[in-house]
Amino acid sequence: MSENKETPERLRERLRQEELRRNPTGNMSDGFNRSNSGGLVDLVNSLGWKGTGILILVLIIGYIIASYFFN
């Protein structure tokens, strides 16, 4: 196969990366909607590292607040 031809897998990944750059908030929405029918791995993969960090931060803050009020 010649080097200048793009495989279907690389084309899909390139298009996905371009969409992530153009619409990051839509990507986060897709991630939360996907979590209804998928697993945690699908959620984390669709959110990216920033979205995953925010999700972890929200969970930690929620746990701290809950333990403060209920203990």
Side-chain angles (χ1 to χ4, degrees), residues 15-54:
L15 292 174
R16 189 180 74 82
Q17 291 295 326
E18 288 175 6
E19 178 65 25
L20 291 176
R21 281 188 221 109
R22 282 183 280 155
N23 192 6
T25 55
N27 181 43
M28 184 173 284
S29 172
D30 290 343
F32 284 121
N33 292 336
R34 187 176 296 158
S35 69
N36 292 333
S37 61
L40 182 62
V41 174
D42 293 331
L43 173 66
V44 170
N45 283 338
S46 64
L47 288 177
W49 68 272
K50 290 179 188 175
T52 304
I54 291 170

Side-chain angles (χ1 to χ4, degrees), residues 47-64:
L47 288 177
W49 68 272
K50 290 179 188 175
T52 304
I54 291 170
L55 181 64
I56 291 171
L57 188 63
V58 166
L59 289 173
I60 291 171
I61 291 172
Y63 176 76
I64 291 171

